[in-house]
Amino acid sequence: MSRPTTRSKNKRHRQGSDSDSTSEILRKIHSTGEVTDDDLKQLYMISKPICQSCRVNTKDNPNCFCGLIPPHNGSRKSGLWQKLSDILQSLGPDPCKDLRASASLPAGLTNLGATCYANSILQCLYMNKSFREGVFSVEPDVLKQHPVLEQLARLFAQLHASKMAFIDSAPFIKTLELDNGVQQDSHEFLTLLLSLLERCCSHSKAPKARTIVQDLFRGSVSHVTTCSQCGKDSEASAKMEDFYELELNVKGLKTIDESLDDYLSVEELHGDNQYFCESCRTRVDATRSIKLRSLPEVLNFQLKRCVFLPKTTMKKKITSAFSFPGELNMQQRLSEPSQLDLVYDLSAVLIHKGTAVNSGHYIALIKDENTGHWWEFDDEHVSNLGNCPFGEGSSSSCSKGGSEHVDSSSITKGMNGVNVNHAVLQPQSSESCNGCNVEKFTSNDAYMLMYNLRRSKKDAQKKHVACDVHNMEIENDTVFFHDGVSLPSHLCEEIKELNSSYVDACELYKLKRDRELDIITKRKQEVRSVLSEAPVRSLEEPFYWISTDWLRQWADNICPPVLDNTPLQCLHGKVPVSKVGSMKRLSAEAWIKLFSKYDGGPTLTNDDCCLNCLIDGARTLVCADSYRDRRKSMKELADDVLSGKFGEGIYYVSRPWLQQWTKRKNLDAPCEADAGPTSSISCPHGQLMPEQATGAKRSLVPESLWIFIYEDAIKVKPDDLLGCSAFPLDSKQCIECSEALSEVACMEDSIRALKLKQRQNHEKLALGRSIPLFLDSKYYLVPSSWLTKWRNYISTSGKNASSSVEPEFLDGVIDSIKCEKHLRLLERPPDLVCKRGSIFQKGSMTDGLTIVTENDWKCFCEEWGGIREKGISAKVEFSNNAGNTLVRSCKEVPICQDTFSPHDEENNEIESRRLVVRTSPEICEDCIGERESCELMQKLNYCDENIYVCLVRGKEAPKSILEASESTFEPDRRTSKRSRKTNYGSLINLKVSASTSIYQLKMMIWESLGIVKENQILHKGQRIIEPEYATLADMNIFPGDKLWVQDSEIHEHRDIADELSDQRVNVQHAEEGFRGTLLTSNLSSQVV
């Protein structure tokens, strides 16, 4: 079966045949003066067939209604036909998405920027049923006196009974005056928060609330010091101290049992650490240890994963695996035996994700006391983990057995689409607790562990019965929920109002959404219905004209505008043939529907074709044909003029203008480019410009061509008389302009002659050649910068000879290189070099001064206003010092010996004695030293300049890199910031300042080349650059220097983001913590 062709489906028909037929009809109308019905049908394209499925709405067919709406399943970016999801998005956020799925699903907390540490702790406290009941028991008048406690109660109430899936924590965070953009330590936050709540709750008269913090979280320890000789404990050993969490070491330890053993271990005091015993009255060996005296109901373990590195003065996170059990027996950990069963169940695990100390993300894994299910609290997102803290997917079974759950800290999608922590199952020997096997879990990111004391069944039943009795007694003032915790009446009413307003917002959004969808559905049905009736099926059937632009707006917009056909009307109030491409031919049924609903108008029927405009258009077409034919013949005549075939011209026109005129297309009417045929050959005085002037080339044209050109120019710009000035053959050139051109030509001739003479007088200097120098001959020193300007001036010739910049007069130039204080030389003479027995200046282009002959100096003084006696004379002489000792006299400058021939006997004397350049006046060492010091200081104060760093992968750097730092700095040179490959490694350029430290430079190299700063061995030449606290100015690193770096590969690679985060927090918030908040305020949070 052959595939149907669609190649020509979307192609537009060529308009050549249509335009030709239209032109023929208009010419016929112009000649006869009559318009027939057939003419109207062809001109208004009424007889064209109805278009179907062309996808693009064609302008040359008024019967085409395609492309006004997308295909059946298609959509557009805006308007009526955009996707429903985009339309609903314009209504604003859907509050129904924030609805809590069920009452048993816990709610999340919003992250205000960097408040995940607070959200995790608040969820741990809320999920503790006893603590929650205690907060709800605080009296309303006490809450009003303590804003922090009041906001906490409101937050807990919303978490408890709100219909929203997540709660806004901003009121509580703002009350504590916390900076929501700064990450803080969750352990420090918990410690300070419990201390603050303990002070606030102490004002309550309710027994359950007044000591809720102490009853749940407070235990006691004592630091016992025992004398090794008498065996007695110190007096301070009897003192007990309260604790709210136990801080356990993690470094080098693998399990919580090992950490507890380390925490309770005995420390030997001997040597310099001996203890002074009151009983023995002397310093003796002793032991010191921590004794657990009592344990709280909620036992918190803070795992010390953050350690301080003295070498870098930074903190580092320990990410080693740490194991902890699902239940923990603390019976044997107490200093004195207890009759109580001190078995604790794991209730919460606080996770810190990330490798940096001062950044990362906190989440909480918390066990529901009622159901035993674990939940993951990640700010707004709450996920059900099943019966294991690290997700059901972490093992095949969560029953007690000899298995270990290992948290790999990676997040995967569970079967229900929520985020769960993926854990790996590893076999491990089971441990017994009261004869039962215990689950153990391992995590690399566990930061805090919470264990709840296991209650006996009798205690649990008593508490449940007491709770029921309590609820029954004050039934009118409480409300009951799924977990048996009741809200006091003042919080209950507030939550009811919040839930009511939230439900109303959901209902309002649903109503708004349904109304919008209903409008869109009806509009789409209307558009499809009208467009299906729009085509006119026969030529005899009456029809109406409608604007295509309005029809497109009506089909695209949800709320279409009023029907507007006024753009289609001509001055006579009818439809001209020129508007055929902007209107459609609409059936009577479709027009009645649109006009009755959208009003407007005017109504334009098939009888409203404008015959007046049609006849005028026919006349214009015939005139255009006449103009086009005439212009074509004039172009041929102009081509003959330009080619020299026509030599009988009468009027002058600009030749460049005539050349451009002949290249233009053959138009129906003159355009703006046809203006100004003589503007470039007219002088400011209104006369003919001399032909020697720039751009004044002209040609003679015949009278017929001039009249045609002149008429077009006047039509385009009737006010531009100067551009259309007529210059007949006998017109004379402007005398003033001719004289001015002659003066300029004479001046240029004299300048050229002067430059030629100077090139002849200074042949070698003009060509930039070196001058051989001789002993005891007199020379003069000239600034190299002035000599370069002079060389550029005399080398310029042609039309630019008069516009070249002249060098300054020599008198002022020579004075500028002498110090005002001592009238001595401010520049050092150039170095010399010996080549094949002759002495030359080493680098005349790079030195500040250039040696010239006495004759050159004499000519320069005559040519450029120099005073011969004020010149700086110089002589090449032997130094009085023998040997190779460099002469450091203000009068003498040593020669640079280079490339001496050992076979040349004439060089023996030069080799044995050193040559110096003696100057008069002498060199001013004091002023030169002062100037060089200022230049060095200025060089050391650079800002935002480029230096280059090359990564060398071998043991030694190439010679080109070692010598590169001596190259001249080019400040205006454009450089690329991109790292590019070379034969010996990668090369980058960095923007630095003099105050940039070596540490900052290494961080930039780390970011660009990926080498951690500890592995970077940075060099400038042969010198290693250190220490890190030094600046680039301290290390004499200047703009344009090329450094090279090696990778020692000693330390492991890590992410630069961690280093930057630690650096930013340590610099901006060093040791600030919660300073300035209510958590560290000495005053109570009580309202005064």
Side-chain angles (χ1 to χ4, degrees):
M1 182 176 178
S2 61
R3 185 177 179 181
T5 59
T6 59
R7 182 173 296 177
S8 61
K9 196 171 185 180
N10 296 326
K11 287 187 176 180
R12 294 178 181 268
H13 298 287
R14 293 185 178 180
Q15 298 181 1
S17 58
D18 293 342
S19 60
D20 292 342
S21 61
T22 300
S23 299
E24 292 176 2
I25 295 172
L26 291 174
R27 289 190 183 93
K28 188 194 74 166
I29 292 174
H30 179 72
S31 61
T32 61
E34 294 180 358
V35 182
T36 63
D37 290 341
D38 291 337
D39 294 339
L40 292 177
K41 289 179 181 179
Q42 293 188 44
L43 291 174
Y44 284 87
M45 302 181 187
I46 296 173
S47 58
K48 281 203 171 186
I50 298 173
C51 188
Q52 294 181 352
S53 303
C54 71
R55 297 185 184 178
V56 179
N57 190 265
T58 57
K59 292 183 178 181
D60 55 353
N61 188 354
N63 298 317
C64 176
F65 293 92
C66 304
L68 293 175
I69 61 174
H72 182 67
N73 293 326
S75 62
R76 288 179 178 170
K77 293 183 178 180
S78 62
L80 177 65
W81 303 97
Q82 63 179 327
K83 295 179 181 179
L84 286 180
S85 58
D86 296 336
I87 295 177
L88 295 179
Q89 188 176 4
S90 64
L91 300 178
D94 184 3
C96 301
K97 294 182 180 179
D98 301 335
L99 182 66
R100 197 186 298 202
S102 65
S104 60
L105 179 67
L109 290 172
T110 55
N111 191 333
L112 306 178
T115 56
C116 56
Y117 69 94
N119 290 348
S120 303
I121 294 298
L122 291 173
Q123 292 284 16
C124 291
L125 295 177
Y126 167 77
M127 291 296 286
N128 188 296
K129 191 174 178 181
S130 300
F131 185 78
R132 192 192 327 162
E133 289 178 344
V135 172
F136 289 158
S137 301
V138 180
E139 302 89 328
D141 56 337
V142 177
L143 292 178
K144 292 180 179 179
Q145 295 176 2
H146 301 277
V148 173
L149 194 56
E150 182 183 20
Q151 290 297 336
L152 182 65
R154 287 182 176 176
L155 185 64
F156 279 11
Q158 293 180 59
L159 289 171
H160 190 72
S162 174
K163 291 183 177 294
M164 298 187 66
F166 53 87
I167 310 302
D168 184 14
S169 59
F172 180 73
I173 298 297
K174 289 180 179 178
T175 304
L176 283 177
E177 300 178 4
L178 298 178
D179 186 351
N180 55 19
V182 178
Q183 180 77 285
Q184 299 283 12
D185 181 60
S186 60
H187 164 242
E188 185 181 3
F189 174 73
L190 175 62
T191 303
L192 296 174
L193 180 62
L194 290 180
S195 177
L196 177 61
L197 295 178
E198 183 177 347
R199 297 197 302 270
C200 295
C201 291
S202 64
H203 297 83
S204 174
K205 296 181 181 179
K208 185 184 292 187
R210 185 171 59 251
T211 58
I212 182 64
V213 176
Q214 300 92 314
D215 296 342
L216 290 179
F217 301 100
R218 187 174 67 182
S220 60
V221 298
S222 59
H223 295 78
V224 179
T225 304
T226 304
C227 178
S228 299
Q229 290 187 5
C230 64
K232 293 183 179 180
D233 296 338
S234 64
E235 294 182 1
S237 301
K239 181 182 179 181
M240 289 194 296
E241 299 178 2
D242 295 335
F243 73 88
Y244 292 84
E245 71 281 322
L246 297 179
E247 298 187 19
L248 304 182
N249 288 323
V250 174
K251 187 176 183 180
L253 306 174
K254 296 181 179 179
T255 66
I256 195 171
D257 288 329
E258 293 180 6
S259 295
L260 284 171
D261 292 341
D262 175 74
Y263 182 78
L264 301 174
S265 62
V266 178
E267 178 187 3
E268 300 288 342
L269 301 179
H270 51 77
D272 294 338
N273 294 328
Q274 279 188 327
Y275 160 70
F276 183 83
C277 179
E278 294 292 340
S279 300
C280 301
R281 307 300 296 176
T282 185
R283 298 183 67 86
V284 295
D285 292 343
T287 59
R288 180 183 294 169
S289 62
I290 297 176
K291 303 291 184 181
L292 291 176
R293 301 301 184 183
S294 64
L295 295 176
E297 186 174 333
V298 179
L299 185 57
N300 293 336
F301 292 111
Q302 170 61 34
L303 306 183
K304 298 167 66 175
R305 288 195 177 273
C306 301
V307 295
F308 180 76
L309 302 178
K311 184 177 180 180
T312 60
T313 67
M314 305 282 285
K315 292 181 180 179
K316 180 182 179 181
K317 178 183 175 183
I318 299 174
T319 56
S320 58
F322 190 78
S323 179
F324 47 92
E327 61 181 49
L328 183 64
N329 191 345
M330 296 293 290
Q331 187 81 26
Q332 305 300 324
R333 299 291 183 180
L334 282 179
S335 59
E336 297 178 359
S338 174
Q339 301 298 324
L340 301 175
D341 292 334
L342 298 178
V343 179
Y344 287 82
D345 292 318
L346 182 66
S347 61
V349 180
L350 194 68
I351 299 292
H352 176 264
K353 296 181 179 181
T355 58
V357 173
N358 297 302
S359 62
H361 184 60
Y362 288 97
I363 65 171
L365 313 178
I366 308 175
K367 183 179 181 180
D368 191 324
E369 296 181 16
N370 296 318
T371 63
H373 287 177
W374 284 87
W375 298 87
E376 179 187 88
F377 293 86
D378 187 358
D379 294 329
E380 298 90 347
H381 307 287
V382 181
S383 307
N384 191 348
L385 302 178
N387 294 322
C388 296
F390 298 108
E392 293 283 4
S394 62
S395 64
S396 58
S397 173
C398 288
S399 60
K400 293 181 179 180
S403 62
E404 178 183 10
H405 300 275
V406 182
D407 173 27
S408 64
S409 299
S410 63
I411 305 298
T412 59
K413 288 286 184 180
M415 294 296 292
N416 55 356
V418 299
N419 291 335
V420 296
N421 280 3
H422 181 67
V424 182
L425 180 66
Q426 291 183 352
Q428 179 174 304
S429 60
S430 60
E431 297 181 8
S432 63
C433 175
N434 294 335
C436 300
N437 293 332
V438 179
E439 280 185 307
K440 297 195 73 176
F441 309 98
T442 300
S443 172
N444 296 76
D445 292 320
Y447 191 63
M448 184 184 296
L449 305 175
M450 285 190 177
Y451 284 84
N452 286 358
L453 182 63
R454 182 183 297 176
R455 298 189 181 91
S456 62
K457 293 183 178 180
K458 292 184 178 180
D459 293 339
Q461 291 176 356
K462 287 181 181 179
K463 184 172 183 180
H464 182 69
V465 171
C467 180
D468 291 342
V469 172
H470 174 71
N471 288 333
M472 290 176 61
E473 289 178 352
I474 54 173
E475 184 176 358
N476 295 330
D477 295 330
T478 59
V479 63
F480 302 94
F481 290 96
H482 63 280
D483 57 356
V485 179
S486 59
L487 285 177
S489 58
H490 65 280
L491 292 177
C492 179
E493 292 299 327
E494 184 176 340
I495 296 302
K496 282 183 178 180
E497 291 179 4
L498 290 175
N499 287 339
S500 177
S501 61
Y502 175 66
V503 171
D504 292 343
C506 293
E507 294 297 331
L508 181 62
Y509 180 85
K510 289 179 181 178
L511 183 64
K512 190 176 174 183
R513 179 191 62 192
D514 295 341
R515 188 189 307 117
E516 189 74 14
L517 293 178
D518 183 59
I519 292 173
I520 291 172
T521 303
K522 290 181 179 179
R523 277 283 297 124
K524 288 182 177 180
Q525 292 176 354
E526 176 198 359
V527 171
R528 289 194 176 99
S529 174
V530 171
L531 290 181
S532 64
E533 300 175 354
V536 183
R537 302 300 173 180
S538 65
L539 295 177
E540 292 75 17
E541 184 179 345
F543 61 87
Y544 294 82
W545 295 110
I546 190 168
S547 171
T548 305
D549 290 339
W550 183 90
L551 195 63
R552 187 175 286 109
Q553 293 181 29
W554 165 80
D556 276 345
N557 296 331
I558 299 175
C559 299
V562 177
L563 199 156
D564 184 14
N565 268 345
T566 54
L568 302 181
Q569 290 181 301
C570 65
L571 297 176
H572 311 100
K574 295 190 176 184
V575 182
V577 71
S578 60
K579 297 292 185 179
V580 170
S582 303
M583 59 188 181
K584 296 297 177 183
R585 184 168 165 255
L586 200 66
S587 66
E589 295 82 0
W591 171 261
I592 292 172
K593 286 185 178 180
L594 293 176
F595 186 72
S596 61
K597 185 172 183 179
Y598 299 103
D599 202 5
T603 303
L604 301 174
T605 65
N606 52 319
D607 297 329
D608 289 326
C609 297
C610 185
L611 299 181
N612 295 329
C613 291
L614 191 59
I615 294 173
D616 292 341
R619 186 186 306 109
T620 303
L621 175 67
V622 173
C623 294
D625 290 343
S626 172
Y627 176 82
R628 190 183 299 108
D629 295 339
R630 188 182 174 198
R631 180 161 181 149
K632 183 178 180 181
S633 63
M634 290 296 108
K635 273 191 175 183
E636 294 175 355
L637 185 57
D639 289 333
D640 292 340
V641 170
L642 292 173
S643 61
K645 296 179 181 179
F646 190 90
E648 298 179 359
I650 298 177
Y651 289 90
Y652 286 114
V653 296
S654 171
R655 186 176 183 86
W657 180 92
L658 190 62
Q659 291 172 343
Q660 293 297 324
W661 185 81
T662 57
K663 294 178 182 178
R664 295 192 197 103
K665 293 182 179 179
N666 202 8
L667 305 176
D668 296 339
C671 62
E672 290 187 4
D674 294 337
T678 59
S679 59
S680 60
I681 62 174
S682 300
C683 74
H685 311 100
Q687 299 182 26
L688 186 62
M689 178 74 76
E691 196 167 6
Q692 296 82 4
T694 304
K697 298 295 182 182
R698 51 183 180 261
S699 298
L700 281 170
V701 298
E703 185 176 6
S704 58
L705 179 57
W706 166 251
I707 293 174
F708 182 81
I709 291 173
Y710 178 79
E711 290 175 352
D712 284 355
I714 291 298
K715 288 179 182 179
V716 174
K717 291 185 178 181
D719 299 331
D720 186 14
L721 300 178
L722 185 63
C724 295
S725 300
F727 294 110
L729 179 61
D730 57 351
S731 299
K732 294 183 179 181
Q733 297 181 1
C734 179
I735 299 176
E736 295 183 21
C737 294
S738 299
E739 292 177 353
L741 286 173
S742 300
E743 292 177 1
V744 172
C746 293
M747 183 180 66
E748 290 181 350
D749 291 340
S750 63
I751 292 175
R752 278 192 290 269
L754 182 63
K755 291 182 178 181
L756 178 60
K757 183 179 179 181
Q758 292 193 30
R759 286 198 297 270
Q760 294 173 351
N761 292 340
H762 313 278
E763 183 177 356
K764 288 189 176 182
L765 290 177
L767 297 176
R769 295 177 181 176
S770 299
I771 301 174
L773 306 176
F774 301 97
L775 295 172
D776 298 327
S777 296
K778 189 175 183 180
Y779 299 96
Y780 283 86
L781 298 178
V782 177
S784 300
S785 58
W786 182 89
L787 203 60
T788 301
K789 292 180 182 179
W790 169 81
R791 190 178 292 115
N792 294 335
Y793 173 72
I794 64 170
S795 300
T796 307
S797 59
K799 295 182 179 180
N800 299 325
S802 60
S803 61
S804 57
V805 180
E806 295 183 357
E808 302 89 346
F809 286 104
L810 267 178
D811 188 22
V813 173
I814 297 299
D815 288 340
S816 65
I817 60 174
K818 295 180 182 179
C819 65
E820 297 180 359
K821 186 176 181 181
H822 311 101
L823 296 179
R824 293 181 179 179
L825 187 60
L826 281 175
E827 295 286 344
R828 300 186 188 277
D831 294 334
L832 304 179
V833 62
C834 291
K835 294 181 180 179
R836 299 181 182 88
S838 299
I839 305 172
F840 296 93
Q841 183 172 339
K842 184 178 182 181
S844 59
M845 295 297 183
T846 57
D847 291 333
L849 297 175
T850 300
I851 301 176
V852 299
T853 64
E854 188 174 7
N855 183 58
D856 285 329
W857 172 249
K858 177 182 177 182
C859 294
F860 276 146
C861 291
E862 295 175 356
E863 296 162 353
W864 296 102
I867 300 175
R868 188 174 179 182
E869 293 76 13
K870 291 178 62 175
I872 302 171
S873 61
K875 285 186 179 182
V876 180
E877 298 179 353
F878 285 114
S879 172
N880 295 328
N881 298 347
N884 294 328
T885 305
L886 295 179
V887 180
R888 290 300 178 186
S889 166
C890 63
K891 301 180 182 180
E892 302 172 349
V893 177
I895 188 175
C896 175
Q897 298 184 14
D898 184 21
T899 321
F900 287 105
S901 174
H903 305 287
D904 195 350
E905 297 180 358
E906 296 179 1
N907 291 337
N908 291 338
E909 186 178 4
I910 297 177
E911 290 181 353
S912 60
R913 300 179 62 185
R914 296 194 60 81
L915 293 169
V916 295
V917 178
R918 296 184 181 275
T919 63
S920 176
E922 300 173 352
I923 301 171
C924 188
E925 293 289 351
D926 295 339
C927 295
I928 290 178
E930 184 179 352
R931 186 192 62 190
E932 290 177 348
S933 299
C934 295
E935 290 176 353
L936 179 61
M937 291 300 297
Q938 187 175 2
K939 192 176 180 182
L940 290 175
N941 288 332
Y942 60 91
C943 180
D944 200 25
E945 297 288 354
N946 284 317
I947 65 169
Y948 305 90
V949 179
C950 179
L951 172 60
V952 176
R953 304 191 183 278
K955 293 184 178 180
E956 295 182 0
K959 185 178 180 181
S960 59
I961 292 294
L962 296 177
E963 297 177 352
S965 60
E966 300 177 3
S967 59
T968 305
F969 170 51
E970 301 178 22
D972 297 329
R973 180 184 176 185
R974 296 182 62 184
T975 55
S976 172
K977 296 180 180 179
R978 190 183 309 166
S979 174
R980 54 186 185 273
K981 296 291 184 179
T982 62
N983 294 332
Y984 39 82
S986 300
L987 180 68
I988 58 171
N989 74 288
L990 303 173
K991 288 282 187 181
V992 296
S993 302
S995 58
T996 302
S997 66
I998 302 301
Y999 172 82
Q1000 293 171 325
L1001 178 61
K1002 287 187 175 182
M1003 293 297 294
M1004 297 164 73
I1005 296 173
W1006 186 355
E1007 184 179 6
S1008 300
L1009 298 177
I1011 308 173
V1012 295
K1013 65 181 183 64
E1014 293 83 3
N1015 288 343
Q1016 295 179 26
I1017 305 175
L1018 198 58
H1019 301 75
K1020 179 181 178 181
Q1022 299 286 358
R1023 176 169 55 93
I1024 296 179
I1025 301 173
E1026 55 184 3
E1028 290 187 349
Y1029 58 79
T1031 64
L1032 299 188
D1034 297 337
M1035 306 307 295
N1036 289 333
I1037 298 175
F1038 304 108
D1041 280 356
K1042 186 174 288 187
L1043 312 181
W1044 58 284
V1045 63
Q1046 289 177 305
D1047 187 357
S1048 66
E1049 299 182 356
I1050 297 176
H1051 301 275
E1052 293 182 0
H1053 176 73
R1054 67 179 189 277
D1055 192 353
I1056 191 175
D1058 299 337
E1059 180 79 15
L1060 293 174
S1061 175
D1062 289 344
Q1063 176 189 359
R1064 181 166 56 253
V1065 173
N1066 287 335
V1067 172
Q1068 297 179 357
H1069 308 282
E1071 302 301 329
E1072 285 189 7
F1074 293 95
R1075 186 182 303 169
T1077 68
L1078 289 184
L1079 292 173
T1080 57
S1081 176
N1082 293 327
L1083 300 175
S1084 173
S1085 63
Q1086 183 176 358
V1087 176
V1088 181

